[in-house]
Amino acid sequence: MITLKFGGTSMGSARRMLNSAAIIISRAEKDRISVVVSAVAGVSNLLLESIEKCIAGGSPTQYVNSVRQTHYDICKDIAKECSAFNCESTCQKLDPIFEEYEKLLTAVASFGECPISVHCRIMGLGEILSSPIMESLLFAQKQKVALIDSRDVIVTTGAQSEGDPD
């Protein structure tokens, strides 16, 4: 089995996701593959900024709306290029993740601090948000896809923010 890893630049726009999907499909014709996707370009920086600003008393709403709009726009743009892509269904898959993000940021703003466990959860949301988009895109292109949440299968040891896979 071969694992393909697509970084933030490869996930940075609808066009780049479509290109990444083409690479995935081409490689899947030759080998069994697994795919790892990063957060959409710029989203990790925005998540970090949101934590810092909310610790300082900022409002979570603008950050949640900005991250939401970034992902919705990508979904809309993919749907323009790939008629089988179900934009509405994909965005519905993302909504609970945005709700979690808002709850976590609201707590950070309320307490004026961000424990490492909350920091790690927020910082991991970028990948959690991009994965269903790629899943839906591959599904729309008639690929057999199984989305696996890494939080369910990877166990780490050591410090929470720098854990080593076990």
Side-chain angles (χ1 to χ4, degrees):
M1 177 176 279
I2 294 174
T3 299
L4 305 176
K5 166 51 164 88
F6 294 88
T9 301
S10 297
M11 301 299 290
S13 67
R15 171 62 29 220
R16 290 182 176 163
M17 284 190 180
L18 286 159
N19 290 341
S20 297
I23 292 167
I24 292 166
I25 292 166
S26 174
R27 193 58 191 254
E29 291 173 357
K30 302 172 193 143
D31 298 298
R32 286 183 44 94
I33 64 168
S34 63
V35 176
V36 176
V37 295
S38 292
V40 168
V43 167
S44 293
N45 290 338
L46 190 56
L47 294 172
L48 182 58
E49 179 184 330
S50 72
I51 293 168
E52 293 168 351
K53 295 293 185 180
C54 286
I55 288 172
S59 170
T61 304
Q62 74 181 62
Y63 292 101
V64 175
N65 288 343
S66 179
V67 173
R68 179 184 288 120
Q69 195 61 54
T70 295
H71 290 83
Y72 281 7
D73 287 348
I74 287 173
C75 288
K76 289 175 192 172
D77 290 344
I78 290 172
K80 291 175 188 172
E81 300 293 323
C82 178
S83 61
F85 180 82
N86 190 328
C87 180
E88 183 178 334
S89 173
T90 304
C91 289
Q92 286 175 353
K93 290 179 189 177
L94 302 179
D95 286 338
I97 304 165
F98 295 125
E99 290 172 16
E100 177 184 3
Y101 178 40
E102 186 164 26
K103 287 177 186 176
L104 292 168
L105 271 188
T106 299
V108 168
S110 295
F111 289 105
E113 62 183 4
C114 185
I116 191 67
S117 60
V118 174
H119 185 276
C120 291
R121 281 182 68 177
I122 292 172
M123 292 306 299
L125 291 177
E127 289 78 9
I128 301 300
L129 285 163
S130 63
S131 299
I133 298 173
M134 184 56 75
E135 174 197 31
S136 293
L137 175 54
L138 291 168
F139 183 75
Q141 294 183 11
K142 309 230 183 295
Q143 299 301 300
K144 293 180 182 175
V145 181
L147 179 61
I148 299 171
D149 188 329
S150 62
R151 298 172 295 181
D152 295 333
V153 295
I154 297 176
V155 177
T156 61
T157 58
Q160 188 167 13
S161 63
E162 299 294 328
D164 294 316
D166 185 1

